[in-house]
Amino acid sequence: MPGYHLFNELTRTRLNELAPEALVILPVGATEQHGPHLPVGTDHFAVERVSRRAAQLAGDRITTIVTPTLPFGSSEHHLQFGGTLSFSTEVYYKVLVDLVESLVTDGFRTIFIVNGHGGNSELIQLAARDVALRRDVSVAAAPYWTIAWDALVAAGIHKGGRMPGHAGRFETSLVMAERPELVV
């Protein structure tokens, strides 16, 4: 039976029942500076919201389960500005692989890593590929804006600046839509 679920709200028994047929979504973000006007949780907030909403919509047709969002990413290039918590490249890759391997051990066969931070892009692809090569599972990974690219362009989001553009109009509008009190 299709449906939308949050991983943390299910018991181990229910997860075991759902895992073999469910699509599990692992949102990954970052905690890093986003200029003087946006909160450091911008990437985390956005990818969590997008992942949950997409899973809700897909839940009408398939069983979807959204894991807790990994709020830290590969953001070493932002450390110089302050307000940043980052894993090194090697550690982040290992964290991703361990999380995906945990989901495989839990019985999930279809796993999708949804990314909310540009600095994570290559590493999520590598982790997905490496686990899929070793295990008999389907693992995919992509940034949410890449998945929605055509719709975003059709809506004119790309006009007036880079998309997604770090701390620019696109990310500012996402935070304004969800947490306007956090925009300075």
Side-chain angles (χ1 to χ4, degrees):
M1 170 182 280
Y4 158 70
H5 308 275
L6 295 177
F7 191 97
N8 274 0
E9 295 180 357
L10 300 173
T11 64
R12 70 179 186 189
T13 302
R14 188 68 176 132
L15 283 165
N16 287 337
E17 292 168 357
L18 295 173
E21 302 302 320
L23 165 64
V24 66
I25 299 168
L26 172 62
V28 298
T31 300
E32 64 180 26
Q33 67 85 27
H34 274 81
H37 68 295
L38 291 178
V40 298
T42 293
D43 294 342
H44 170 240
F45 301 148
V47 75
E48 184 167 274
R49 175 69 174 135
V50 167
S51 295
R52 287 182 178 194
R53 183 64 180 133
Q56 267 182 317
L57 294 171
D60 291 341
R61 296 177 309 281
I62 61 172
T63 301
T64 59
I65 299 172
V66 181
T67 71
T69 302
L70 179 62
F72 310 113
S74 178
S75 302
E76 290 185 87
H77 53 290
H78 288 278
L79 288 170
Q80 64 183 328
F81 300 104
T84 300
L85 298 171
S86 180
F87 290 120
S88 67
T89 299
E90 298 81 12
V91 169
Y92 189 64
Y93 169 81
K94 289 177 181 178
V95 166
L96 291 172
V97 169
D98 284 352
L99 289 173
V100 174
E101 286 284 357
S102 294
L103 292 168
V104 173
T105 301
D106 285 343
F108 290 96
R109 313 309 303 153
T110 309
I111 302 163
F112 186 53
I113 305 169
V114 180
N115 181 31
H117 167 59
N120 298 340
S121 293
E122 294 86 2
L123 295 169
I124 65 166
Q125 293 292 327
L126 289 171
R129 181 203 66 192
D130 290 352
V131 173
L133 288 172
R134 287 194 303 268
R135 306 291 291 256
D136 185 24
V137 294
S138 295
V139 185
Y144 67 83
W145 59 86
T146 300
I147 299 164
W149 193 263
D150 291 342
L152 292 169
V153 170
I157 303 299
H158 65 294
K159 295 179 181 169
R162 291 180 46 228
M163 183 178 67
H166 182 75
R169 292 178 184 184
F170 180 75
E171 287 187 323
T172 301
S173 67
L174 291 174
V175 179
M176 288 293 294
E178 285 299 310
R179 302 288 305 275
E181 74 278 8
L182 298 179
V183 180
V184 179

